[in-house]
Amino acid sequence: MISNFSIVQCIFNRDQYTPEEMRRILREAEQDESSAAKLLADEAMDINPVRTAVLLAVGNNYPNQELHYASYMEMFMAAMKSMLHTEAVVERFPCEDDEEQPCYATSQRLSGDIHFVAGIIASESVYLKLAERYSEEELPEMDEMARDSIEEFINVLNGMFSVSLGEEKIETDLDLPRFGQNVSPHGSNQLRLRVHSSVGSFQVVMATDEFF
C-alpha cells in the first residue's frame, strides 16, 4: 500500500521556506530523511499533506474531478520518491506560468468510465534530470532515450492509477503517451500544479481532455 504521508510536503505546506530553501531541504532529505523530520513539529502533522495541497489548489473548481486529481497527485508524488528516487513537494495553488523554453511535455489519456489526462511539462534541463533519475543513465542532451524514459515513467504511473480506479469500479483504458515541445497547456477542467524537486521545478497538468 502506498503511503500518502510526506514529511517534506508537511514542511512545505507551512509556508515558512522559499522554493530555493525547499530545494536544499529536499536534497538533504534524499541523503537523510531525519534532517527533514527535525524541522517538523508534532502538532503540524497532516497525514495526507499532498491531498491537502491539491484540494487547496482546486478550491471550488472542478467538483467532479477534484478527488481524482488529489488521488493522482498522491500517487505521482509517491512515484517521484519510489521510481525516480527524488524528494519533491507540490504547491498549494494553481500554476499559471509556462516553463522556460525549450521545454518538453509528456502526457497520457485514460478513457472509459471517466476521461482523464495527466502528464508533466519541464524545461529541458529538468526534463533531462528526471529522465536520468528514472533510467539511471547519464543523459547530457535531449534524445530518444530521454523521451522514452519519461514516457515509460508516465505510462507505468498512469497504469497504476488506472488499476486503482478499477478497484473503485471505474474502468479505463490507456492511450499511448504523447510528447510535445514548448507546450502551453489548454485542457478542459485543467489543473496545473508546480512541483519543486531536488533536481528542479516543473509542472504536473491534469485535465479531462488532451492539454496539447
Side-chain angles (χ1 to χ4, degrees):
M1 182 177 179
I2 297 174
S3 172
N4 294 326
F5 179 69
S6 167
I7 292 173
V8 290
Q9 186 68 50
C10 285
I11 293 170
F12 190 56
N13 284 357
R14 291 164 61 180
D15 280 337
Q16 293 182 354
Y17 300 96
T18 66
E20 291 75 18
E21 290 171 328
M22 277 306 305
R23 278 192 285 275
R24 174 185 57 79
I25 292 169
L26 294 170
R27 287 193 295 270
E28 292 174 354
E30 284 184 1
Q31 302 301 317
D32 179 10
E33 194 171 41
S34 67
S35 66
K38 294 173 184 176
L39 300 175
L40 189 63
D42 290 342
E43 62 270 22
M45 289 290 185
D46 178 351
I47 62 172
N48 296 298
V50 173
R51 178 168 292 258
T52 296
V54 175
L55 293 179
L56 285 170
V58 170
N60 295 322
N61 301 308
Y62 321 131
N64 295 326
Q65 288 81 36
E66 63 177 4
L67 295 182
H68 294 317
Y69 288 179
S71 295
Y72 182 81
M73 282 306 300
E74 286 181 324
M75 190 169 287
F76 183 95
M77 300 301 283
M80 283 289 293
K81 189 169 184 177
S82 63
M83 290 195 276
L84 273 65
H85 317 293
T86 303
E87 291 283 356
V89 292
V90 59
E91 291 192 350
R92 296 182 296 161
F93 47 87
C95 174
E96 298 180 353
D97 299 326
D98 289 341
E99 298 305 292
E100 177 183 342
Q101 295 186 2
C103 66
Y104 302 97
T106 299
S107 72
Q108 189 172 38
R109 181 171 179 260
L110 285 71
S111 57
D113 292 342
I114 65 168
H115 297 283
F116 177 85
V117 179
I120 68 167
I121 306 174
S123 66
E124 183 173 289
S125 61
V126 175
Y127 195 95
L128 286 172
K129 289 175 183 176
L130 293 172
E132 285 182 340
R133 289 290 179 104
Y134 184 77
S135 66
E136 300 183 343
E137 300 282 349
E138 289 190 12
L139 300 171
E141 59 185 25
M142 190 63 197
D143 58 16
E144 188 173 342
M145 184 173 180
R147 172 179 170 174
D148 288 347
S149 295
I150 297 299
E151 287 184 355
E152 182 178 328
F153 167 65
I154 293 295
N155 189 59
V156 171
L157 171 63
N158 289 355
M160 293 167 54
F161 187 60
S162 179
V163 170
S164 73
L165 290 173
E167 292 172 352
E168 300 175 19
K169 309 301 181 184
I170 301 171
E171 299 301 323
T172 55
D173 295 314
L174 290 173
D175 290 354
L176 292 174
R178 300 174 74 242
F179 174 81
Q181 183 173 353
N182 298 336
V183 167
S184 181
H186 52 272
S188 300
N189 302 303
Q190 176 177 278
L191 179 63
R192 302 164 64 183
L193 294 173
R194 181 157 300 282
V195 173
H196 298 282
S197 78
S198 58
V199 300
S201 70
F202 60 96
Q203 56 185 287
V204 173
V205 183
M206 296 169 286
T208 52
D209 56 16
E210 291 290 0
F211 56 84
F212 70 90

